[in-house]
Amino acid sequence: MAGQEQHEYTASLRVFSESLAFADLVAVLGEPTKGYDIGDLVSPRRSDGPRRTSAQWCLRSAAPRTEPLDEHIAELITFVEVHRREFDELGDKVQIDVFCGIFTGDDSQGGFTLGSDLIRRLGDLNLDVGFDLY
């Protein structure tokens, strides 16, 4: 509608491990969008600050933020499906989820729908999904 701001969306596939180093995750899954290692500073601005207790490998959806949320999630599910053998190899050494950001404009409301096929694919891969609303 004219005059209404469109929602924007992001989604990331996150792989955490308390026993594998970031380099181990990269060796199995390839280069991520971002990541960190066990022992890295939580905030690089505080050299005396807390350190991370797990490694994280994170792949952000390449879809533009203006694309529907289900497009972002589907892209990440496809990555897991294509790399199922690698994820199976990691087994219980990792925790995996999909993390979504939903950005609404000022004075904006609305929602989103995840289709049953997408939900089935998430379930088949045993992937949890988290949502942050901004």
Side-chain angles (χ1 to χ4, degrees), residues 20-62:
L20 297 174
F22 176 69
D24 298 327
L25 297 174
V26 171
V28 174
L29 299 173
E31 284 298 323
T33 308
K34 67 178 185 171
Y36 53 77
D37 211 346
I38 299 168
D40 285 355
L41 288 167
V42 172
S43 173
R45 294 177 293 214
R46 287 196 50 212
S47 61
D48 63 337
R51 297 194 173 267
R52 299 195 184 270
T53 59
S54 63
Q56 182 194 54
W57 181 98
C58 182
L59 182 65
R60 185 172 292 159
S61 163

Side-chain angles (χ1 to χ4, degrees), residues 49-129:
R51 297 194 173 267
R52 299 195 184 270
T53 59
S54 63
Q56 182 194 54
W57 181 98
C58 182
L59 182 65
R60 185 172 292 159
S61 163
R65 289 172 60 117
T66 53
E67 288 297 312
L69 182 59
D70 59 341
E71 295 294 324
H72 292 266
I73 295 171
E75 176 188 324
L76 300 172
I77 291 172
T78 298
F79 179 87
V80 176
E81 289 169 340
V82 168
H83 296 89
R84 185 108 191 218
R85 184 180 57 79
E86 290 88 342
F87 282 99
D88 288 345
E89 176 184 322
L90 293 170
D92 62 358
K93 296 179 217 156
V94 297
Q95 299 81 45
I96 305 166
D97 70 9
V98 174
F99 182 75
C100 303
I102 301 166
F103 304 86
T104 60
D106 292 340
D107 299 324
S108 179
Q109 61 180 332
F112 59 90
T113 301
L114 300 180
S116 58
D117 181 58
L118 192 68
I119 293 169
R120 179 192 51 76
R121 290 172 66 199
L122 285 163
D124 288 348
L125 296 168
N126 200 29
L127 287 174
D128 291 332
V129 182

